[in-house]
Amino acid sequence: MNLEGCYCECVVKRRGTMGGAFCKAGLLALTTLLAIIGLVVNWLLLLAFAAAYLTYWLWPRFQVTYEYVFCDGQLDFDKILGGEGRKHIYRIDLEHVEMIAPQNSHSLDSYTYRNLPSRDFTSLIEDEGHKVYAIVHNMDKGQEIIRFEPDEKMLALMKSKAPRKIVEF
């Protein structure tokens, strides 16, 4: 069976944030400071090892990649931390989607001012090459907006599955 016509995946690497850079610098500074002081006060060396382990454990969590998988009307969002651990975060069905449109489209104006809850699965890079789309998703508790960066193939597959729900530029 050929799945080429109903399956598509797209990978987006998230840009590091300023908060993440400060956390990394703080972890390195804390570990270094505890190691230097630990040479004088021996029991602080144990804290230095604990801080080093914490830094080793937290470091990959600052490198986030999102993977979108569209298969037969369902869109899955996975999060990959440090290029290693994959975690499934969210799944939506196109039947529960009201609209998929570019983020700056006037079709989304009526939803923008309602302060709907949102989820952001984008790269956080704002330039011409990164086209951010918004999904208006109907949930049991109301609506939410999901931001993501699909490629052209994924948009074409979603349009073939639900042509009236996709708004293009």
Side-chain angles (χ1 to χ4, degrees):
M1 181 176 169
N2 186 9
L3 291 177
E4 184 68 30
C6 66
Y7 177 84
C8 181
E9 64 183 41
C10 183
V11 177
V12 174
K13 184 172 177 153
R14 189 165 204 149
R15 177 190 63 157
T17 61
M18 198 59 128
F22 282 129
C23 286
K24 284 188 204 180
L27 285 170
L28 288 176
L30 176 69
T31 304
T32 305
L33 183 66
L34 285 174
I36 291 171
I37 296 173
L39 294 175
V40 177
V41 182
N42 289 337
W43 64 271
L44 281 179
L45 203 55
L46 290 175
L47 288 178
F49 284 123
Y53 179 75
L54 182 68
T55 302
Y56 172 77
W57 186 73
L58 287 176
W59 201 267
R61 283 151 181 76
F62 294 112
Q63 300 164 356
V64 177
T65 303
Y66 290 114
E67 182 182 55
Y68 321 128
V69 177
F70 181 75
C71 184
D72 199 32
Q74 287 186 335
L75 183 60
D76 290 334
F77 296 95
D78 294 340
K79 186 179 197 178
I80 303 167
L81 298 174
E84 296 174 4
R86 174 184 312 269
K87 183 178 180 185
H88 177 74
I89 333 177
Y90 205 62
R91 173 176 286 163
I92 63 171
D93 199 334
L94 279 185
E95 293 176 6
H96 301 205
V97 168
E98 191 163 320
M99 175 189 334
I100 299 175
Q103 181 172 327
N104 56 1
S105 172
H106 290 295
S107 303
L108 293 170
D109 287 347
S110 63
Y111 302 102
T112 305
Y113 300 109
R114 290 175 35 200
N115 289 331
L116 296 175
S118 66
R119 296 174 187 254
D120 193 353
F121 303 122
T122 64
S123 66
L124 299 178
I125 299 173
E126 298 174 8
D127 65 6
E128 295 287 325
H130 296 272
K131 295 178 183 171
V132 177
Y133 280 77
I135 301 172
V136 179
H137 181 229
N138 296 320
M139 304 181 312
D140 295 336
K141 302 173 193 168
Q143 293 179 322
E144 71 176 343
I145 294 181
I146 301 168
R147 289 178 177 75
F148 74 124
E149 297 178 26
D151 59 2
E152 296 299 323
K153 182 180 176 186
M154 186 173 286
L155 284 173
L157 280 176
M158 287 192 284
K159 189 164 181 105
S160 70
K161 192 71 174 170
R164 295 190 176 155
K165 295 183 179 185
I166 310 294
V167 177
E168 297 188 45
F169 278 113

